[in-house]
């Protein structure tokens, strides 16, 4: 689910935590195996848990999506899988790192670069949207490291902000580990942002703020001079060095012969095992999102004599593993995956995903489509379109890809299937509404086995169950400056807000969208209709009309309820189904229109039913963040959503 040598390059589905942790534990097994033969370290600066706030962000492909709760769950599962459960207090299998702290999601948009960008963020948005994944990573995941980002937040470089580092990460959240800079970010705050007058000042302010490790050479060059000038004490340096050395101790660096320690028996034979390669294929299968199906899918391999496989990503290999990639065991391209099932004819349609100028090759592509029983178009992006240091300016398919898609679809003699391979979303409204396009799938960057997984879904060997982790906006959204960090809409200016929680405009596809080859029915078994908070005697809200009460204190202790749902597979195929529980709170404190409370995945045979249970902690799950950044429990009517089901819960005092 995160970028890696064999996992999917984008989290394209909300999966159960256990499955995600299992996948990442395989990654950490291979990391230890490679370490044991001198080919890997043990500190992994991953995961990226920034919120995918804007669809144009080049690094959105590294993240699990736009929702704070989903990102928080992902962070904890990822970190737990990497760091493992090793005997000994605080021992680590691998040291994970949650990055980039905080409010970092502009890389290079129309000349605005991350190195000098000041993210102006309200306290409400900071605590409601940007901080929760990092808090979960530290508090619930016990991560070994947090990386501060390049950007400033409200005029301060994050790596020099004592409130954010010492105050929040180490003070409020009790980080057991070290705080690292992003690479050269201390140099950046001096040379690019001109935040301090001297390099010694930059070294001093960063270390005193709580920074322990500098990725780069800046602190090595200037810390001694900062101490000699009296700008920094040796005790400050000792603290930073201690935090770094303790992490090495927890990894076992000083415990003797590595072969005699936990995981010392792992080696090259534990890398690229058949089960690990199958896990890569399964991860890719589960990440595929079916967005449109007019009934032509799944395909029957026995009834297809010829298939046209067309598009700039139709024979993609390296593209499939996204960025920050490892070395794959082997590739199965879409063309290879499909060709293992039926006879294929291949045409790229464009010489590259940019599909500009003379690179469009329509004649050959349309001829292939016209003579085939079925056409599969594989389009989208690669790292030339979206990547670190490159944000997009458009949400349309790159270059002349839309013309390619339309021409091929119109020429196809049989069903035309559109497969979009990308990290970020696209405005494919024309394809969604076209009666010439029978089905649409989004596959993210699906990893080394992506082509096999695509074939598994198209031919019905696997019933798709992925869900979109981000909103797919129309091209008109690009009128909104990427640099506007506000999450909430502003009706007075027409600002539409961001992400499914706040966005008020039209969508191409919504967060959580995703179809199956079967259908699922939901039935509410039990949930309360009324709950009361037992406030302490003399509490102001017992005599006054309050929109909300504080989400902490004795009235929150043990205040929880269960929601039980019956989910039935009403179709003719077995399949997996992710059940999302949303809540729409009362309209106080500019609260989200709705927000995710939890998700569970079930697998059901045709006609089979199962019960899904959610435990809702009232003060944690039903609270909202007020204008000052404080968590409050909104009083009044809360609407719980599951699919088309709605249930009203009245919360009073």
């Amino acid at each position: 689910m995160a970028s890696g040598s064999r996992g999917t390059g984008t989290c394209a589905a909300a999966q159960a935590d256990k499955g995600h942790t299992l996948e990442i534990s395989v990654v950490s097994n291979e990391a230890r195996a490679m370490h044991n033969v001198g080919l890997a370290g043990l500190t992994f600066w991953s995961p990226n848990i920034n919120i995918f706030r804007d669809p144009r962000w080049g690094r959105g492909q590294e993240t699990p999506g736009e929702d704070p709760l989903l990102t928080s769950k992902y962070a904890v599962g990822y970190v737990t899988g990497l760091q493992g459960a090793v005997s000994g207090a605080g021992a680590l299998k691998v040291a994970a790192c949650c990055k980039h702290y905080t409010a970092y999601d502009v890389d290079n948009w129309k000349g605005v670069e991350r190195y000098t960008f000041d993210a102006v963020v309200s306290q409400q948005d900071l605590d409601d949207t940007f901080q929760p994944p990092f808090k979960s990573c530290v508090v619930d995941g016990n991560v070994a490291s947090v990386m501060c980002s390049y950007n400033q937040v409200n005029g301060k470089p994050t790596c020099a902000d004592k409130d954010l580092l010492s105050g929040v990460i180490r003070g409020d959240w009790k980080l057991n580990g070290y705080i690292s800079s992003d690479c050269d970010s201390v140099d950046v705050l001096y040379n690019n942002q001109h935040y301090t007058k001297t390099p010694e000042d930059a070294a001093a302010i960063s270390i005193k703020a709580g920074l322990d490790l500098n990725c780069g050479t800046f602190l090595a060059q200037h810390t001694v001079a900062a101490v000699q000038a009296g700008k920094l004490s040796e005790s400050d340096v000792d603290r930073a060095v201690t935090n770094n050395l303790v992490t090495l101790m927890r990894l076992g660096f000083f415990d003797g012969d590595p072969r005699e320690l936990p995981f010392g028996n792992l080696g090259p034979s534990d890398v690229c095992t058949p089960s690990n390669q199958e896990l890569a294929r399964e991860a890719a299968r589960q990440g595929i999102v079916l967005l449109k199906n007019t009934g032509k899918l799944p395909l029957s391999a026995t009834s297809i004599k010829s298939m046209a496989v067309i598009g700039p990503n139709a024979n993609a290999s390296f593209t499939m593993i996204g960025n920050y990639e490892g070395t794959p065991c082997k590739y199965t391209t879409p063309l290879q995956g499909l060709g293992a099932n039926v006879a294929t004819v291949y045409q790229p349609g464009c010489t590259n995903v940019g599909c500009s100028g003379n690179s469009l090759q329509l004649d050959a592509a349309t001829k292939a489509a016209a003579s085939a029983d079925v056409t599969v178009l594989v389009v989208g992006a690669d790292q030339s379109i979206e990547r670190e240091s490159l944000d997009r300016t458009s949400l349309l398919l790159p270059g002349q890809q839309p013309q390619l898609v339309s021409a091929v679809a119109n020429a196809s003699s049989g069903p035309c299937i559109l497969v979009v391979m990308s990290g970020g979303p696209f405005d494919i409204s024309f394809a969604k509404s076209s009666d010439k396009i029978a089905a649409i799938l989004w596959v993210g960057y699906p990893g080394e086995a992506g082509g096999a997984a695509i074939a598994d879904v198209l031919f019905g060997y696997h019933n798709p169950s992925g869900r979109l982790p981000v909103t797919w906006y129309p091209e008109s959204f690009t009128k909104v400056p990427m640099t506007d960090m506000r999450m909430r809409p502003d009706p007075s200016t027409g600002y539409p807000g961001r992400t499914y929680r706040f966005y008020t405009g039209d969508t191409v596809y919504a967060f959580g969208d995703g179809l199956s080859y079967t259908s699922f029915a939901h039935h509410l078994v039990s949930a309360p209709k009324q709950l009361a908070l037992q406030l302490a005697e003399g509490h102001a809200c017992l005599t006054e009309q309050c929109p909300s009460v504080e989400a902490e204190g004795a009235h929150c202790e043990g205040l929880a309820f269960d929601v039980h749902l019956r989910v039935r597979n009403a179709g003719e195929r077995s399949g997996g189904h992710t059940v999302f529980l949303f809540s729409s709170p009362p309209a106080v404190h500019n609260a989200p229109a709705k927000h995710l409370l939890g998700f569970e995945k079930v697998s059901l045979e045709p006609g089979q039913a199962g019960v899904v249970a959610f435990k809702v902690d009232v003060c944690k799950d039903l609270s909202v963040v007020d204008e000052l950044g404080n968590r409050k429990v909104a009083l009044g009517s809360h609407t719980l959503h599951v699919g088309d089901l709605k249930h009203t819960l009245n919360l009073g005092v």
Side-chain angles (χ1 to χ4, degrees), residues 114-195:
R114 57 185 175 167
Y115 304 118
T116 52
F117 177 59
D118 181 12
V120 178
V121 184
S122 70
Q123 194 64 47
Q124 183 176 34
D125 283 342
L126 189 67
D127 290 326
D128 182 40
T129 295
F130 299 107
Q131 295 290 70
F134 289 98
K135 182 178 181 180
S136 291
C137 197
V138 175
V139 175
D140 302 320
N142 195 23
V143 72
S145 175
V146 174
M147 176 187 288
C148 51
S149 53
Y150 290 113
N151 58 289
Q152 296 185 356
V153 173
N154 298 328
K156 288 185 179 181
T158 62
C159 292
D161 191 325
K162 189 171 186 177
D163 291 333
L164 284 176
L165 302 188
S166 295
V168 176
I169 298 178
R170 201 169 292 284
D172 295 344
W173 300 342
K174 311 300 181 188
L175 173 71
N176 178 24
Y178 68 98
I179 299 175
S180 170
S181 74
D182 204 339
C183 293
D184 296 317
S185 61
V186 183
D187 182 284
V188 163
L189 74 86
Y190 172 65
N191 282 309
N192 297 69
Q193 298 176 7
H194 309 296
Y195 189 72

Side-chain angles (χ1 to χ4, degrees), residues 128-480:
D128 182 40
T129 295
F130 299 107
Q131 295 290 70
F134 289 98
K135 182 178 181 180
S136 291
C137 197
V138 175
V139 175
D140 302 320
N142 195 23
V143 72
S145 175
V146 174
M147 176 187 288
C148 51
S149 53
Y150 290 113
N151 58 289
Q152 296 185 356
V153 173
N154 298 328
K156 288 185 179 181
T158 62
C159 292
D161 191 325
K162 189 171 186 177
D163 291 333
L164 284 176
L165 302 188
S166 295
V168 176
I169 298 178
R170 201 169 292 284
D172 295 344
W173 300 342
K174 311 300 181 188
L175 173 71
N176 178 24
Y178 68 98
I179 299 175
S180 170
S181 74
D182 204 339
C183 293
D184 296 317
S185 61
V186 183
D187 182 284
V188 163
L189 74 86
Y190 172 65
N191 282 309
N192 297 69
Q193 298 176 7
H194 309 296
Y195 189 72
T196 63
K197 292 183 178 180
T198 70
E200 292 78 19
D201 288 333
I205 195 173
S206 299
I207 294 174
K208 288 162 72 173
L211 189 69
D212 300 310
L213 181 69
N214 168 221
C215 173
T217 60
F218 193 89
L219 290 187
Q221 294 169 348
H222 302 292
T223 301
V224 171
V227 173
Q228 292 172 340
K231 299 175 184 291
L232 185 66
S233 70
E234 287 190 22
S235 62
D236 291 322
V237 177
D238 288 345
R239 183 216 70 235
V241 172
T242 299
N243 289 332
N244 296 330
L245 287 175
V246 166
T247 302
L248 293 176
M249 294 170 69
R250 294 171 66 194
L251 287 165
F253 271 84
F254 309 110
D255 292 349
D257 187 347
R259 292 170 295 184
E260 303 301 321
L261 300 177
F263 315 110
N265 61 328
L266 295 173
S269 63
D270 298 292
V271 178
C272 289
T273 64
S275 62
N276 289 3
Q277 292 186 59
E278 177 56 31
L279 182 61
R281 185 167 178 168
E282 175 62 14
R285 282 191 290 248
Q286 291 201 31
I288 291 174
V289 185
L290 179 63
L291 293 172
K292 175 182 178 180
N293 187 15
T294 60
K296 299 299 183 180
L297 292 183
L299 302 170
S300 170
T302 57
S303 64
I304 296 173
K305 295 181 179 179
S306 65
M307 172 182 283
V309 184
I310 298 170
N313 277 336
N315 200 29
S317 53
F318 184 69
T319 293
M320 294 194 301
I321 60 176
N323 67 345
Y324 283 96
E325 71 286 346
T327 302
C329 307
K330 63 179 182 180
Y331 289 115
T332 303
T333 72
L335 178 62
Q336 291 169 337
L338 296 168
N341 292 272
V342 295
T344 59
V345 174
Y346 166 62
Q347 289 292 335
C350 294
T351 55
N352 54 61
V353 295
C355 204
S356 59
N358 297 324
S359 66
L360 186 62
Q361 302 168 346
L362 277 185
D363 288 347
T366 54
K367 286 178 181 177
S371 60
D373 296 330
V374 176
T375 296
V376 177
L377 267 163
V378 191
V379 298
D382 64 11
Q383 301 305 303
S384 71
I385 303 297
E386 52 179 4
R387 67 174 186 273
E388 185 172 5
S389 299
L390 180 64
D391 300 318
R392 289 188 282 156
T393 56
S394 172
L395 296 177
L396 300 177
L397 288 171
Q400 299 176 83
Q401 282 192 36
Q403 292 92 311
L404 173 66
V405 171
S406 295
V408 168
N410 288 330
S412 298
S413 58
C416 182
I417 316 300
L418 180 64
V419 176
V420 180
M421 183 183 295
S422 67
F426 284 101
D427 182 348
I428 51 171
S429 303
F430 76 99
K432 180 181 180 181
S433 62
S434 172
D435 58 7
K436 297 290 187 179
I437 295 176
I440 301 174
L441 296 89
W442 180 61
V443 300
Y445 290 127
E448 68 168 38
I454 291 169
D456 288 342
V457 169
L458 291 184
F459 290 108
Y461 309 135
H462 176 84
N463 192 346
S465 60
R467 303 291 195 92
L468 289 182
V470 292
T471 301
W472 285 39
Y473 300 84
E475 173 68 4
S476 59
F477 185 81
T478 59
K479 296 175 183 177
V480 176

